Amino acid sequence: MLIDFLALVVGLVVLVYAADWFVEGASSIARNFGVSPLLIGLTIVGLGTSAPEILVSSLASFQGNPGLAVGNAIGSNIANMGLILGVTALIVPLAFHSGLLKRELPVLMLISIGCYVLALDGLSVFDGVLMLLSLVVFLFWLVRSAMSERKNDILAQEVEAEVPETMPNNKAWIFFVVGLFGLLISSKALVWAAVNIAHTMGVSDLVIGLTIVALGTSLPELAASIGSVLKGEDDLAVGNVIGSNVYNLLAVFSLPALIAPGPVDATVISRDFPVLLVFTGVLFILGVGLSKAGKINRLEGGGLLAAYLFYQWTIYQSVI
């Protein structure tokens, strides 16, 4: 058991660093080929921050643990909105200025509802393909909107400014390859440790995916969001979360459908996905600002964090 926990912790730490190296390398390679920094920020960087979830869910599905993959996708989204935005708003209240960001919120709500409907009768290969096609459509819309508004929209400007600086091509390829290799090895160790812990504790791999693994793979978003608000980039902090949630639903959640199609655990349908939808609905209301300018103040941030902790306590109570 001790070895499993050590492997889990080491796997998570390496996973976070490897994701950073992967993003830096891939971004620099793209910039060296003349790709727009804004395009890099919206695609490569966005995909890179979700790389831990993607790798973990892929390996879990291939190894016959789709519950871990589903729990990772759903749990990471709940952690993004409850834990990450809650903690971030407690540090610095968040204000929503970007029109692009406010248009992303209803899209995220529709994607969340759509994925829930697909999961009701189990996940099929068709569902997985549909989710990936939806991701392509979303990215096309997002890139086109951001490119057309890059001079006026603050989120587009903040995304462009945050793209890693270029580095020599040889160094960039080393970062890219080492980061990718680190992601593969650490994901393998993390899945192995998580499954062993679940079996030893007598709980499902779904529970481990919703809690320990989801929290660990969300650490890059937590660091990115706190770093953004400390630099006064509120829209980027929220944009990171929304982008990560879209990737988690359309890229990560599609993997068990494509690799290990089958029924979704009844608990996910009755408890976890509804919790995800409630958090997404609350974020939509706070962000769009039905009666005021969109923002998340410290009180609301505390409420999001408290709701997340209560959800984790509910999971704990269900397994003891």
Side-chain angles (χ1 to χ4, degrees):
M1 187 74 162
L2 178 60
I3 293 176
D4 294 330
F5 272 109
L6 286 175
L8 184 73
V9 172
V10 172
L12 286 172
V13 171
V14 175
L15 198 68
V16 171
Y17 280 102
D20 283 341
W21 296 334
F22 175 79
V23 168
E24 286 190 43
S27 299
S28 295
I29 292 169
R31 291 191 73 162
N32 290 339
F33 277 101
V35 179
S36 161
L38 179 57
L39 181 59
I40 293 171
L42 292 172
T43 55
I44 295 176
V45 175
L47 179 64
T49 56
S50 292
E53 287 93 339
I54 292 172
L55 265 296
V56 168
S57 292
S58 296
L59 287 171
S61 298
F62 273 120
Q63 294 179 11
N65 301 104
L68 178 58
V70 170
N72 184 27
I74 304 301
S76 292
N77 275 21
I78 295 172
N80 283 348
M81 292 180 285
L83 176 65
I84 295 175
L85 286 184
V87 169
T88 303
L90 284 173
I91 296 172
V92 180
L94 298 167
F96 296 63
H97 307 100
S98 167
L100 179 62
L101 184 64
K102 291 186 177 182
R103 290 200 298 277
E104 281 187 82
L105 285 168
V107 173
L108 174 61
M109 190 76 233
L110 288 174
I111 290 172
S112 301
I113 294 172
C115 288
Y116 177 60
V117 171
L118 291 177
L120 288 175
D121 60 348
L123 293 175
S124 65
V125 174
F126 174 80
D127 294 334
V129 172
L130 184 60
M131 284 185 263
L132 287 182
L133 289 176
S134 298
L135 178 61
V136 173
V137 172
F138 170 79
L139 287 175
F140 176 79
W141 168 79
L142 181 62
V143 169
R144 184 175 179 181
S145 299
M147 287 293 189
S148 65
E149 301 175 29
R150 62 192 305 177
K151 294 182 180 179
N152 303 314
D153 192 272
I154 189 170
L155 177 60
Q157 295 166 7
E158 290 176 355
V159 167
E160 193 166 16
E162 284 298 307
V163 174
E165 294 295 326
T166 56
M167 63 177 73
N169 231 22
N170 289 342
K171 185 178 178 181
W173 276 104
I174 290 173
F175 268 61
F176 175 78
V177 172
V178 171
L180 181 59
F181 184 73
L183 282 170
L184 291 170
I185 296 300
S186 58
S187 298
K188 179 75 173 177
L190 193 151
V191 170
W192 172 80
V195 171
N196 285 348
I197 291 171
H199 290 166
T200 302
M201 296 177 64
V203 300
S204 67
D205 52 359
L206 170 67
V207 170
I208 298 298
L210 287 166
T211 53
I212 300 173
V213 176
L215 176 61
T217 55
S218 295
L219 291 178
E221 284 87 355
L222 177 60
S225 293
I226 292 176
S228 296
V229 294
L230 292 178
K231 292 186 290 187
E233 299 172 337
D234 297 23
D235 293 276
L236 184 60
V238 181
N240 286 336
V241 166
I242 293 176
S244 175
N245 281 16
V246 171
Y247 275 113
N248 287 342
L249 286 171
L250 298 182
V252 180
F253 192 57
S254 67
L255 294 173
L258 294 169
I259 300 170
V264 176
D265 192 293
T267 307
V268 174
I269 301 298
S270 63
R271 181 193 64 195
D272 305 309
F273 233 124
V275 169
L276 169 62
L277 293 176
V278 170
F279 268 104
T280 307
V282 170
L283 177 59
F284 172 76
I285 293 170
L286 294 176
V288 173
L290 299 182
S291 61
K292 59 182 179 180
K295 66 177 184 179
I296 303 176
N297 59 35
R298 284 192 172 92
L299 179 61
E300 292 160 343
L304 288 172
L305 180 58
Y308 175 75
L309 293 176
F310 178 74
Y311 167 69
Q312 292 293 305
W313 178 82
T314 302
I315 295 177
Y316 171 75
Q317 289 295 312
S318 70
V319 298
I320 61 173

